[in-house]
Amino acid sequence: MEKVNLEAAFASFDDHWSPRLAAELNGQAVKLAKVDGEFVWHHHDEADELFLVRSGELTIEFRDEPDVTLGEGELLVVPRGVEHRPVADEEAEILLFEPVETRNTGDVEDEELTQTERQDLS
């Protein structure tokens, strides 16, 4: 059992759209990411995805639904199969909860964006 200090963990990296694995439980990954700008449109066939905003603001755009904007302390679960695109007009810090094997780009093949860095964030 190792605790993770979120303040220190987020301070340990600067890359955008490059999730860091903070913890695993019951086959789920807890990932930390700094985001700024637009990510790729994608969906996850096999998994729901939870976005939790720690700081800043994140908009989840949908092709067939109204966009949802999340502020600090707010979360949203995007159901499996729903195409979405996260967008941040300014840097935001987010936590992602999803099955360990889930690629952050879902169905989109992008070698540069699909790597989740495993680093000690404790």
Side-chain angles (χ1 to χ4, degrees):
M1 292 185 288
E2 293 184 32
K3 71 178 180 178
V4 174
N5 179 295
L6 293 178
E7 188 73 31
F10 276 107
S12 73
F13 66 94
D14 293 315
D15 299 343
H16 292 127
W17 304 110
S18 182
R20 303 306 203 264
L21 183 64
E24 292 183 39
L25 68 154
N26 302 318
Q28 295 286 308
V30 178
K31 300 174 185 177
L32 309 182
K34 290 183 179 179
V35 297
D36 192 5
E38 299 174 346
F39 199 57
V40 296
W41 282 99
H42 67 285
H43 69 274
H44 304 277
D45 287 328
E46 304 298 324
D48 300 336
E49 184 175 24
L50 185 148
F51 292 87
L52 171 62
V53 176
R54 178 178 182 270
S55 68
E57 188 174 272
L58 179 71
T59 298
I60 308 296
E61 295 180 344
F62 297 99
R63 294 229 192 250
D64 300 321
E65 301 288 333
D67 298 344
V68 176
T69 299
L70 303 171
E72 294 178 9
E74 295 182 317
L75 65 85
L76 176 73
V77 175
V78 177
R80 70 192 73 204
V82 174
E83 191 171 24
H84 60 284
R85 177 174 72 166
V87 176
D89 291 335
E90 295 181 359
E91 184 177 83
E93 295 177 345
I94 65 172
L95 288 86
L96 302 163
F97 296 77
E98 57 198 6
V100 172
E101 66 277 0
T102 301
R103 293 183 343 184
N104 60 332
T105 57
D107 63 316
V108 175
E109 294 290 335
D110 189 321
E111 192 65 33
E112 185 176 322
L113 294 175
T114 58
Q115 298 179 13
T116 297
E117 187 168 323
R118 292 178 178 266
Q119 93 182 46
D120 183 12
L121 295 175
S122 54

